[in-house]
Amino acid sequence: MAQVRNEELGFFLRSRRNRVRPCDVGLATGGRRRVPGLRREEVAVLANIGTSWYTWLEQGRDVQPSESVLESIAEALLLDREERAHLFLLGGYPDRVANPGDSAVGEAMRTLLDEMLPLPAMVTDPRNTVLAHNTVQRYLASDLEEFAAGERNCAIQTFENPEWARAFRSDDGHRPHLVAKLRASYAESIDDPEWSPLLSRLRRHEEFCRLWDSGAVGRSAGRVKSIENPYVGTLKMTMTTMIAQENQRLTLSVYQPVDSLTRSRLETLHGWINDGSIERRRAEVLAGTDDGAVAGAVDEAPVHLRIV
């Protein structure tokens, strides 16, 4: 398989080299040329590497290029973001496929979030920071828009926000599952410089340290979550997550109700958001006088998080 990957790398480099015209990179176009694009020696000069060495790459030899060499070749061949990702993947650096600094959420995905309503949906990065959300997700546990962008992190809110902790109960396994998921994501994007400040902050909490240092990892797909929404009561849902094709470091997560009661409550919450009454209900929650949850709920014992 390594040889197949090397051959594919060579084919990709040749195809990209043939696409670039000399004038695109500031080279003279005079004289007769046997190739439609750049010559191998021209790419080598532009990338500041040896011509023979670059030739070996195109020939599919096992020369194991470094990240810096691939970066120089990407610059020389004018590769866009997707092409760079493909180059690093073929070159043996899958962790470079997702750019750690790229957290942009496109308009198409933002539109998709709204089309999911009344289901709660959000886009998160590998550190579980919410980058975009629809209106029902905004009010699922707390008001996300009350926090600065950097504070919209599920782990930070779980360990530091009492309102969030009441919604995602600390005695139902939520925290162990969250930290296990966070640790799995950490391994996949360990070069991201934003991990260090987040982990330093979370390590102030003894429970987080205990869970993190246990070494547990996992995604816990298929779990039924029981969220105590402060407005409509208990919501029983499963979460479906999908990797965004246009930026593979971003995850789209959608909560789906497991029963008709939860779906009805989500529709009620969505209606209050649309008619503007959610702000009054929010003020009542903060004042400790809210009866909104009772209006949309029925008398039943909370159902804790469980594995299914």
Side-chain angles (χ1 to χ4, degrees):
M1 292 305 296
Q3 182 57 36
V4 171
R5 188 180 67 184
N6 291 336
E7 291 173 358
E8 183 65 21
L9 173 61
F11 170 80
F12 180 67
L13 290 174
R14 292 193 302 273
S15 71
R16 299 305 88 187
R17 175 171 60 83
N18 291 335
R19 183 193 59 178
V20 181
R21 298 173 300 173
C23 61
D24 294 334
V25 291
L27 297 178
T29 58
R32 186 174 181 180
R33 304 179 69 89
R34 294 182 301 169
V35 294
L38 298 178
R39 300 185 179 100
R40 286 174 175 170
E41 57 267 28
E42 290 171 333
V43 176
V45 169
L46 290 169
N48 195 29
I49 59 177
T51 300
S52 295
W53 200 86
Y54 177 76
T55 299
W56 293 339
L57 274 177
E58 283 203 2
Q59 290 175 343
R61 298 193 190 184
D62 188 17
V63 294
Q64 299 180 351
S66 67
E67 290 186 71
S68 60
V69 165
L70 291 178
E71 189 65 52
S72 296
I73 293 174
E75 292 291 336
L77 295 177
L78 307 179
L79 302 188
D80 61 23
R81 189 183 72 178
E82 290 187 1
E83 290 169 333
R84 284 172 182 264
H86 191 65
L87 176 66
F88 279 104
L89 185 62
L90 292 175
Y93 300 95
D95 57 320
R96 286 292 302 272
V97 171
N99 181 359
D102 188 356
S103 297
V105 180
E107 285 303 312
M109 187 166 289
R110 292 181 184 275
T111 299
L112 180 60
L113 291 174
D114 290 336
E115 291 178 347
M116 297 276 185
L117 291 167
L119 305 185
M122 61 182 173
V123 176
T124 56
D125 65 14
R127 300 179 305 280
N128 226 354
T129 299
V130 180
L131 304 176
H133 55 84
N134 63 19
T135 54
V136 173
Q137 181 70 48
R138 172 183 174 179
Y139 291 102
L140 189 61
S142 188
D143 184 353
L144 275 173
E145 296 189 9
E146 289 181 351
F147 314 131
E151 297 293 302
R152 296 175 188 175
N153 179 277
C154 297
I156 289 175
Q157 294 304 318
T158 292
F159 286 96
E160 298 185 5
N161 183 351
E163 185 179 16
W164 194 283
R166 284 193 296 271
F168 294 92
R169 298 171 60 97
S170 61
D171 60 352
D172 66 1
H174 171 70
R175 291 186 178 185
H177 287 298
L178 182 146
V179 176
K181 178 181 176 181
L182 202 67
R183 205 176 224 297
S185 296
Y186 176 63
E188 296 171 356
S189 56
I190 199 167
D191 291 333
D192 190 334
E194 296 300 321
W195 275 110
S196 181
L198 173 63
L199 294 177
S200 295
R201 176 171 178 175
L202 292 172
R203 278 196 168 276
R204 301 173 191 169
H205 305 282
E206 181 179 349
E207 184 181 3
F208 175 82
C209 291
R210 176 178 58 80
L211 293 170
W212 183 266
D213 293 342
S214 74
V217 295
R219 301 296 185 183
S220 303
R223 291 187 303 120
V224 176
K225 294 189 177 184
S226 180
I227 299 174
E228 300 298 326
N229 182 264
Y231 314 105
V232 295
T234 304
L235 300 171
K236 303 176 188 177
M237 298 180 289
T238 59
M239 176 184 282
T240 299
T241 60
M242 296 160 277
I243 303 298
Q245 181 65 33
E246 61 270 28
N247 187 341
Q248 295 181 28
R249 73 186 301 269
L250 303 184
T251 299
L252 171 66
S253 300
V254 183
Y255 284 101
Q256 297 174 281
V258 301
D259 54 36
S260 58
L261 177 59
T262 295
R263 177 170 290 277
S264 175
R265 290 178 176 177
L266 289 173
E267 291 171 350
T268 296
L269 179 59
H270 186 217
W272 290 342
I273 293 169
N274 282 344
D275 67 21
S277 65
I278 192 66
E279 295 300 330
R280 173 181 60 82
R281 297 173 188 277
R282 176 73 181 152
E284 291 172 348
V285 165
L286 295 177
T289 60
D290 177 57
D291 60 358
V294 176
V298 297
D299 293 332
E300 62 175 12
V303 178
H304 293 175
L305 192 65
R306 63 186 184 277
I307 306 295
V308 295

